[in-house]
Amino acid sequence: MTDLFLVLGVAAITYGSRVALMTTRWTVPGGWIGRFLDVFPLALFIAIATSGLLAPDGTPAVTPGLAAAAGGVLGAVLFKRSLVGVLAIGAAAFYLTRYLVG
């Protein structure tokens, strides 16, 4: 399997599942599953942003990724679990740090 087929396969699965959810009538479940789905995007973004915080030798590295993680946490506190607020503050911190650090 070539890389192109792998990328196209993953893209088809990703976009197909999203289109299927957007075109069907679906309500958010209640209970613990509903609470999980409510906070999952924030947790996923923080996990992705913090995965690049460690340097190859295993020590914390001061990078734009660290600024993005801190910005994401700040955005979550300021905007009360708003995904747009988390992404906006996290991205702004990332690009500002990258511009200043070089």
Side-chain angles (χ1 to χ4, degrees):
M1 177 181 290
T2 65
D3 292 339
L4 177 62
F5 288 128
L6 179 64
V7 169
L8 291 176
V10 170
I13 291 170
T14 301
Y15 292 114
S17 64
R18 291 180 182 178
V19 167
L21 284 175
M22 290 186 330
T23 58
T24 58
R25 191 175 187 97
W26 186 72
T27 59
V28 177
W32 67 271
I33 294 176
R35 288 192 307 269
F36 170 77
L37 292 176
D38 189 36
V39 298
F40 180 71
L42 173 61
L44 181 64
F45 173 74
I46 291 175
I48 291 170
T50 56
S51 68
L53 296 181
L54 293 180
D57 61 354
T59 59
V62 179
T63 63
L66 179 63
V73 171
L74 179 66
V77 170
L78 291 177
F79 293 103
K80 303 295 181 205
R81 295 179 15 203
S82 166
L83 180 61
V84 175
V86 169
L87 292 176
I89 300 296
F94 174 83
Y95 288 113
L96 179 65
T97 305
R98 193 169 85 170
Y99 175 75
L100 294 175
V101 172

